[in-house]
């Protein structure tokens, strides 16, 4: 066909076909094109923040939003937090959400139609809004019995947990800024199905270097909030290092010397106490702890005498509570001393080449040694003998010298300087002095620190003296009226001295000139107490007698604060007036009065003198020695103890006297004081059942039994050297009666007590949920176990709020509900069940042993469905295109448990409704409606 023919066809009858073709093309393009100029996209928002989902429709058409398949309406006024933003004339229907809640974590769609009633509504692609919830503050949890302080080297399980976050919280445990290795992480469902909780557990073995470090748990997630923290400062008990003795270069010392020894121990928590003894006899010496340096020192001043030859000085380390012994250090003294007199006997002269016999005898000396000299040459004696001399002498000696050289002179044996010989001479001489005149200096001054400057004891202070004019003077320093070191003969002498006094006046004068000028300077020195001593009156009190202890410090500046430590308690005592002391300081004193009890035998009472300005604490201890009456049976008996329970300062004593053997078992002082001789211990902790034996001869062969079964030594059960029973990792099976039996040469004795083990409560039965018909009888049960379970430890509370954030109600239980029963089974009862009674209830058991146990029980009040009319005047508009096959209609009803919706159109029933499009089936909580 030619081109002309084709044009004729189009302009002829084919014109009508062309129009139909164009209409078909427009319909296809219109049907395939999306009505949305902008569709919503996936996003996230923080809990409580704002979110915006954007939607724009072409041609200015109408639009509405749906959440999880349920329409929100053209204007979502039913949801106060939802509103539309944008210009509707431009087809903008952006959905803005204020105060985002967990229920907003859903799928949203924007639905739009053509607006002419001929096109069905079109839905945008679904957009997922993810609500981010930051984790709550984490919590560090220690197992029962692992409370601070920790014992170094003992493994501890540390657990940190954070709850109700989205996404799951990330937990990091650090110690001293370094992450802890081998952490075990676990994520589990929170209080709401959309929330997650997490916990991390590590096994930590504390060491001495961990003392004082922070154990930090950090929780964070993608919600963007600042990480939350929980911290714990570690207090680790560890033994001190071995002691060392300073101040003695060699054990060989001379009689008359004064030894200034210092016992030094580094480390240790708590700081150790140091005790000196000489050949096993205690010596009074204080000890000082410098906490910033973790160094404990104990000075000891010993005046060496001949009797100290072979004496052993030892410094012992003790800790409280007892830790592995830090050991001891000792030194054995070897005292040397010269003879007090040397006697030379024999002829005073002789012929040439004649043999002479001379005898030399010395008073006791150590070591005994005699040497002969002739004309500057040493001679060998022909005989030497040593005779023992008491009490400390080493002996004397004599020798024979044969054929002295011609012209020689026999000389006395040499002895150390200062020893008087058996013979000697005296000389006499004269001299004529020469008189000269030297003018004194014109002026004299001292360069010194400012008058208000203070110095710590041990610091070096440099003082410079200057003289001007006159003859070069001879400078002499004096301190507090005593002669000091002489300076040089030149001006500008600068002695360096160690400050000793509080306000020490140093004076400088020219000793070579009468009436010469003087200069002075004052120093203000801070120094701790030089000594702390305790006196007791009476020294050995009887049981029940009043004991008075007096603590007196040496000179110090400023005045220290005195406190007493007795059986782990701190007592300020009775302060006495201070008195002036040497070096410009003061001496303070404190008095403590005690009623002597049986448990005080061998106990050490400590007096502490603290100088906060210097950071130094000086301590002294006094060991109590209690005298007891001797009974008729010949053994030692305890006064006032006739069997049964005997309480002393919070301790329990179960005591009895059999065949002259009095015994007692006491519980730890930190435990409560239950009646009937009971001792309390926490599960997984460590407990020691101390044994007090009062017998003569001493107790031996002590055996413990539990519930009638003898205990054999094991890693958990150990009998300590003094007879006490140590139980590690206490379990519930360790509870029960214990008995100890000891014997000596006079007979046997036994005593018993009851050990009770405390462990946290737990809920073993709590049926959930409890469904009750409206008007029926309510009964909820909660059964718990634990020790102790006391009346009032089980409580009921009503919870309000959403499942993600339940909290106790302010008004308590609803009217008509009453808590009945006690422990171990508690009940919540009520009659005439009402709808407002429905909700969540918490059963909480708190026995004082952490952590408390909780269980949530849901109460559902069952009643029939009730329809709810759509409130006017804001009906929900539904776009129904003409000729549409289906239409989405919402149904709103209230009921419990399940409900379903059916509908009709006019007089004829409608087609079956399906969930999500035309109907909704589901379980709703009591009270709220569902649509």
């Amino acid at each position: 066909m030619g081109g002309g023919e084709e044009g004729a066809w189009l302009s002829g009858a084919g014109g009508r076909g062309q129009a139909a073709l164009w209409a078909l093309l427009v319909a296809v393009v219109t049907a395939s094109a999306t009505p949305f100029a902008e569709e919503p996209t996936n996003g996230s928002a923080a809990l409580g923040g704002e979110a915006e989902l954007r939607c724009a429709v072409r041609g200015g058409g109408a639009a509405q939003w749906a959440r999880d398949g349920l329409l929100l309406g053209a204007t979502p006024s039913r949801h106060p937090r939802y509103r539309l933003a944008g210009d509707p004339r431009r087809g903008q229907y952006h959905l803005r959400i204020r105060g985002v809640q967990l229920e907003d974590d859903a799928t949203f769609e924007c639905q739009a139609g053509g607006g002419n009633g001929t096109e069905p509504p079109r839905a945008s692609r679904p957009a997922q809004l993810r609500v981010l919830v930051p984790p709550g503050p984490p919590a560090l949890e220690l197992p029962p019995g692992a409370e601070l302080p920790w014992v170094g080297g003992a493994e501890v399980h540390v657990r940190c947990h954070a709850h109700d976050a989205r996404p799951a919280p990330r937990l990091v445990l650090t110690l001293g800024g370094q992450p802890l290795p081998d952490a075990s992480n676990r994520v589990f469902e929170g209080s709401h199905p959309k929330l997650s909780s997490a916990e991390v557990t590590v096994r930590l073995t504390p060491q001495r270097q961990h003392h004082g470090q922070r154990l930090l748990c950090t929780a964070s997630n993608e919600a963007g909030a600042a990480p939350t923290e929980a911290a714990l400062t570690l207090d680790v008990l560890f033994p001190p290092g071995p002691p060392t003795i300073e101040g003695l270069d060699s054990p060989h010392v001379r009689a008359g010397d004064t030894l200034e020894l210092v016992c030094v121990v580094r480390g240790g928590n708590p700081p150790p106490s140091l005790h000196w003894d000489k050949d096993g006899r205690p010596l009074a010496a204080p000890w000082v702890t410098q906490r910033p340096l973790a160094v404990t020192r104990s000075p000891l001043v010993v005046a060496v005498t001949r009797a100290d030859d072979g004496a052993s000085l030892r410094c012992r380390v003790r800790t409280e509570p007892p830790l592995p012994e830090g050991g001891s250090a000792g030194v054995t003294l070897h005292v040397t001393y010269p003879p007090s007199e040397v006697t030379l006997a024999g002829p005073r002269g002789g012929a040439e080449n004649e043999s002479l016999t001379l005898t030399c005898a010395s008073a006791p000396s150590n070591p005994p040694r005699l040497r002969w000299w002739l004309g500057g040459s040493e001679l060998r004696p022909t005989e030497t003998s040593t005779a023992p001399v008491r009490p400390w002498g080493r002996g004397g000696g004599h020798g024979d010298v044969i054929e002295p050289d011609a012209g020689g002179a026999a000389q006395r044996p040499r002895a150390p300087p200062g020893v008087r010989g058996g013979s000697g001479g005296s000389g006499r001489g004269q001299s004529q002095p020469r008189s000269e005149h030297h003018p004194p200096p014109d002026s004299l001054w001292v360069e010194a620190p400012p008058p208000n400057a203070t110095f710590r004891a041990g610091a070096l202070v440099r003082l410079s003296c200057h003289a001007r004019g006159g003859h070069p003077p001879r400078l002499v320093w004096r301190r507090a009226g005593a002669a000091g070191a002489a300076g040089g003969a030149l001006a500008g002498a600068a002695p360096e001295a160690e400050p000793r006094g509080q306000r020490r006046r140093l004076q400088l004068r020219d000793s070579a000139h009468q009436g010469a000028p003087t200069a002075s300077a004052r120093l203000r020195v801070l120094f701790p107490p030089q000594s702390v001593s305790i006196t007791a009156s009476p020294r050995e009190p009887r049981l029940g007698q009043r004991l008075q202890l007096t603590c007196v410090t040496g000179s110090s500046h400023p005045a220290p604060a005195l406190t007493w430590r007795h059986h782990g308690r701190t007592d300020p005592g009775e302060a006495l007036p201070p008195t002036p002391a040497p070096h410009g300081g003061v001496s303070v004193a404190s008095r403590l009065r005690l009623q002597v009890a049986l448990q005080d035998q061998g106990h050490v009472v400590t007096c502490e003198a603290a100088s906060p300005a210097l950071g130094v604490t000086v301590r002294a201890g006094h060991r109590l020695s209690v005298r007891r009456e001797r009974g008729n049976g010949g053994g030692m008996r305890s006064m006032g103890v006739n069997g049964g329970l005997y309480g002393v300062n919070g301790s329990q004593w179960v005591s009895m006297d059999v065949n002259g053997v009095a015994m007692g078992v006491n519980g730890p002082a930190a435990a409560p004081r239950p009646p009937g001789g009971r001792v309390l211990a926490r599960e997984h902790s460590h407990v020691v059942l101390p044994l007090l034996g009062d017998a003569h001869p001493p107790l031996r062969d002590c055996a413990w039994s539990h519930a009638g079964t003898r205990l054999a030594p094991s890693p958990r059960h150990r009998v300590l050297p003094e007879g006490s029973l140590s139980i590690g990792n206490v379990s519930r099976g360790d509870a029960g009666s214990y008995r100890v039996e000891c014997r000596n040469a006079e007979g046997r004795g036994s005593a018993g007590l009851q050990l009770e083990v405390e462990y946290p409560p737990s809920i073993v039965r709590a049926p959930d949920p409890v469904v009750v018909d409206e008007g029926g009888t309510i009964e909820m049960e909660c059964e718990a176990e634990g020790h102790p379970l006391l009346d009032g430890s089980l409580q009921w509370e009503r919870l309000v709020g959403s499942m993600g954030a339940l909290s106790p109600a302010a008004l308590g239980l609803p009217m008509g509900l009453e808590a009945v029963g006690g422990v171990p089974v508690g009940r919540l009862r009520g009659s005439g069940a009402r709808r407002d009674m429905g909700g969540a209830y918490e059963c909480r058991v708190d026995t004082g042993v952490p952590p408390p146990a909780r269980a949530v029980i849901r109460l559902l009040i069952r009643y029939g469905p009730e329809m709810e009319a759509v409130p006017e005047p804001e009906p929900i508009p539904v776009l129904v295109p003409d000729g549409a096959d289906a239409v989405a209609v919402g149904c709103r009803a209230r009921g419990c448990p399940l409900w379903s919706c059916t509908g009709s159109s006019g007089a004829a029933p409608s087609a079956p409704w399906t969930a999500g499009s035309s109907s909704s089936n589901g379980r709703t909580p009591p009270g709220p409606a569902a649509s």
Side-chain angles (χ1 to χ4, degrees):
M1 181 181 295
E5 296 175 355
E6 181 180 0
W9 183 82
L10 290 174
S11 60
R16 292 184 299 273
Q18 183 179 9
L21 179 60
W22 278 106
L24 179 62
L25 291 176
V26 170
V28 171
V29 172
T30 302
S32 61
T34 175
F36 298 99
E38 184 178 3
E39 296 186 64
T41 58
N42 297 335
S44 61
L47 184 69
E50 293 188 357
E52 182 178 271
L53 299 172
R54 302 180 65 84
C55 178
V57 181
R58 290 189 176 93
Q64 61 181 347
W65 287 87
R67 184 183 71 182
D68 287 341
L70 297 179
L71 292 176
L72 302 177
T75 57
S77 58
R78 294 179 180 276
H79 303 272
R81 297 182 294 104
Y82 291 8
R83 68 183 183 91
L84 295 179
D87 189 356
R89 293 173 298 179
R90 297 181 180 180
Q92 297 175 349
Y93 296 90
H94 309 318
L95 180 63
R96 288 186 180 176
I97 307 175
R98 295 177 302 165
V100 174
Q101 301 296 327
L102 197 60
E103 62 185 17
D104 300 326
D105 190 285
T107 302
F108 291 83
E109 290 181 348
C110 181
Q111 297 184 2
N116 52 10
T118 60
E119 299 178 2
R122 301 282 298 275
S124 67
R125 62 171 174 261
Q128 177 69 37
L129 178 62
R130 188 183 186 192
V131 178
L132 303 180
V133 182
L140 281 169
E141 184 177 322
L142 302 177
E147 295 82 5
L148 294 177
W150 292 341
V151 178
E155 185 179 85
V156 179
H157 290 252
V158 180
R159 177 172 168 261
C160 179
H161 49 83
H163 300 278
D164 295 342
R166 181 176 174 87
R170 294 189 299 270
L171 298 177
V172 178
L173 271 173
T174 60
L175 179 59
Q178 299 297 326
L180 292 176
D182 302 329
S184 175
N185 294 274
R186 184 172 73 94
V187 177
F188 52 95
E189 183 178 308
S191 60
H192 190 276
K194 293 184 178 181
L195 298 178
S196 300
S197 301
E199 71 174 16
V200 58
T201 305
V202 297
R203 294 187 299 178
L204 175 63
T205 303
Q207 304 294 338
R208 64 177 61 199
Q209 64 269 20
H210 297 153
H211 177 66
Q213 293 185 352
R214 293 182 73 228
L215 180 64
L216 183 66
C217 179
T218 306
S220 62
N221 68 351
E222 300 172 4
T228 55
E229 298 178 347
L232 184 69
T233 301
L234 298 191
D235 185 6
V236 182
L237 301 180
F238 57 91
T244 58
I245 297 179
E246 299 178 356
L248 187 64
D249 298 332
S250 172
H252 297 277
V253 295
R254 298 184 60 180
D257 291 349
T258 300
L259 300 182
E260 296 183 358
L261 307 180
V262 180
C263 181
V264 181
V265 175
R266 303 186 184 277
N269 183 42
S273 60
L274 305 181
H275 305 268
W276 286 91
D277 64 73
K278 176 181 176 182
D279 292 335
R281 297 186 301 275
L283 299 177
W287 65 89
V288 181
T289 300
Q290 296 176 309
R291 290 190 179 275
L293 303 177
V295 177
T296 303
R297 293 182 170 88
S298 177
L300 179 66
V301 179
V302 179
V304 181
T305 63
R306 298 184 180 186
D308 294 330
D309 186 33
S312 175
L313 296 176
R314 184 162 295 276
C315 175
R316 304 183 186 274
V317 181
R318 295 175 183 168
T319 58
E320 186 177 348
L323 293 174
E325 286 294 334
S328 62
V331 61
T332 301
L333 301 181
H334 299 280
V335 182
T336 61
Y337 50 90
S340 59
E341 185 178 8
V342 178
T343 303
L344 183 63
R348 293 182 175 273
E352 187 176 5
N353 296 326
E354 181 184 358
S355 295
L356 300 178
T357 300
L358 303 176
T359 302
C360 176
S362 70
S365 64
N366 184 30
R369 183 182 180 189
L370 297 177
R371 301 171 66 186
W372 289 87
W373 295 82
L374 177 63
S377 300
E378 185 175 5
L379 303 178
R380 177 175 299 179
T382 57
E383 181 182 355
T384 301
S385 62
T386 303
V389 178
R390 296 186 179 275
W392 310 294
R394 296 293 181 180
H398 67 272
D400 298 334
V401 179
I402 303 175
E403 297 180 358
D405 294 336
Q411 300 184 5
R412 292 170 300 187
R414 295 191 177 182
V419 178
R420 182 171 54 89
S423 61
S426 61
R428 188 174 184 182
Q430 291 183 332
S431 63
Q432 181 67 32
R434 183 175 56 183
S435 176
E436 294 182 1
H437 174 70
H438 299 294
D442 298 334
S443 60
L444 192 68
W445 71 94
V446 176
E447 287 186 4
N452 58 350
T454 59
F455 302 93
R456 294 174 65 98
L460 291 179
V461 180
R462 183 178 180 86
L463 304 176
S464 300
C465 177
H466 301 271
R468 177 182 298 169
H471 190 271
R474 180 176 179 269
L475 303 180
V476 176
W477 289 89
R478 293 184 179 275
R479 182 174 61 187
L490 300 176
E496 294 184 357
E498 178 181 341
R500 293 296 301 274
Q502 173 192 354
R503 290 184 178 272
R504 179 60 65 199
R505 184 172 181 268
L506 298 177
Q507 187 180 51
L508 180 71
R509 71 180 181 87
D510 180 10
S511 63
H513 301 87
Q514 295 293 334
T518 62
S520 63
R522 290 185 178 273
L523 298 179
R524 185 178 181 183
V525 183
L526 306 180
F527 55 96
Q530 299 176 346
S531 63
V532 177
S533 60
I534 300 177
T535 57
S537 178
R539 186 166 184 81
E540 291 188 353
R542 296 182 180 276
L543 190 64
Q545 190 177 2
R546 192 80 168 177
L547 172 64
Q548 177 176 296
L549 299 177
T550 304
C551 178
V552 181
T553 69
S555 180
S556 65
H557 177 71
L562 294 183
T563 55
W564 295 86
R565 294 188 64 85
H566 176 53
H567 285 296
R569 298 185 301 273
T570 301
D571 192 329
E574 177 187 352
L576 301 179
T579 58
H583 311 304
V586 295
S587 175
V588 297
S590 176
R591 181 183 296 127
L592 180 67
R593 293 182 172 92
L594 301 174
Q595 191 77 22
V596 179
L598 188 62
Q599 66 171 3
D600 293 330
Q601 174 64 31
H603 176 70
V604 177
V605 180
T606 303
C607 176
E608 298 183 352
S611 299
L614 299 173
V616 176
T617 301
V618 184
R619 300 178 178 87
H622 177 78
R623 185 177 298 276
L624 300 180
S625 177
V626 182
R627 299 177 61 186
R628 294 177 292 277
E629 296 290 344
R630 183 174 298 273
N632 297 331
M636 295 300 294
R637 300 174 184 268
S638 300
M639 294 180 61
V641 182
N642 299 318
L645 183 66
Y646 178 69
V648 181
N649 295 336
S651 296
Q652 287 74 46
W653 299 80
V654 181
S655 180
M656 64 184 305
D657 193 349
V658 180
N659 294 333
V661 181
M663 301 179 56
V665 180
N666 80 327
R673 183 180 174 180
R678 295 195 299 268
V679 175
L680 301 182
R682 290 283 177 88
E683 189 177 26
H684 304 301
S685 67
H686 172 262
V687 66
V688 176
L689 305 181
L691 172 68
L692 177 67
D694 186 12
H696 183 75
L699 301 175
R700 59 186 179 90
D701 298 338
C702 295
W704 288 82
S705 60
H706 176 212
T709 303
R710 183 167 181 173
L711 295 176
S714 66
R716 291 184 58 244
H717 299 87
R718 295 186 299 111
V719 178
L720 302 181
E722 68 275 12
S724 303
L725 178 63
S726 171
I727 305 177
N729 192 19
V730 177
S731 64
R732 304 176 190 182
D734 293 325
S737 61
Y738 285 80
R739 195 157 195 85
V740 59
E741 181 176 341
C742 298
R743 65 185 180 89
N744 66 357
E746 297 296 324
R748 294 177 178 270
S750 63
L753 57 76
Q754 194 78 13
L755 175 62
E756 294 188 3
V757 179
E758 296 180 337
Y759 55 92
S762 62
I763 296 177
V764 297
R765 188 172 63 89
D768 174 64
V770 176
V771 181
V772 181
D773 291 334
E774 188 174 12
T777 300
I778 301 172
E779 180 168 325
M780 291 181 282
E781 288 188 354
C782 180
E783 182 178 355
E785 70 172 5
H787 187 79
L789 278 179
L790 305 177
D791 291 339
S793 58
L794 191 150
Q795 301 290 334
W796 291 89
E797 289 182 339
R798 186 176 186 179
L799 304 179
V800 296
S802 61
M803 291 300 295
L806 293 174
S807 60
L811 299 179
L813 297 176
M815 183 178 300
L817 284 180
E818 180 183 5
V820 296
V823 290
V825 180
R827 294 178 176 85
L828 194 61
R829 287 179 180 173
S831 58
R834 305 185 306 272
R835 299 183 188 181
D836 63 318
M837 293 181 177
Y841 293 81
E842 182 185 69
C843 169
R844 186 175 188 270
V845 182
D846 188 356
T847 62
V849 181
R854 296 180 176 89
V856 176
I857 302 177
R858 295 170 296 169
L859 175 61
L860 302 180
I861 307 300
R862 186 164 51 192
Y863 58 94
E866 300 174 355
M867 297 296 297
E868 288 189 1
V870 177
E872 295 293 342
E874 296 185 3
I876 300 177
V878 180
L879 300 178
V880 183
D882 189 16
D885 296 335
V887 62
V889 179
C891 174
R892 184 179 179 90
R894 181 188 301 270
C896 180
L898 293 175
W899 58 269
S900 60
C901 285
T902 59
S904 62
S905 177
S910 64
W913 291 16
T914 58
S917 59
S918 60
S919 67
S920 297
N921 297 329
R923 183 185 303 271
T924 62
S931 60

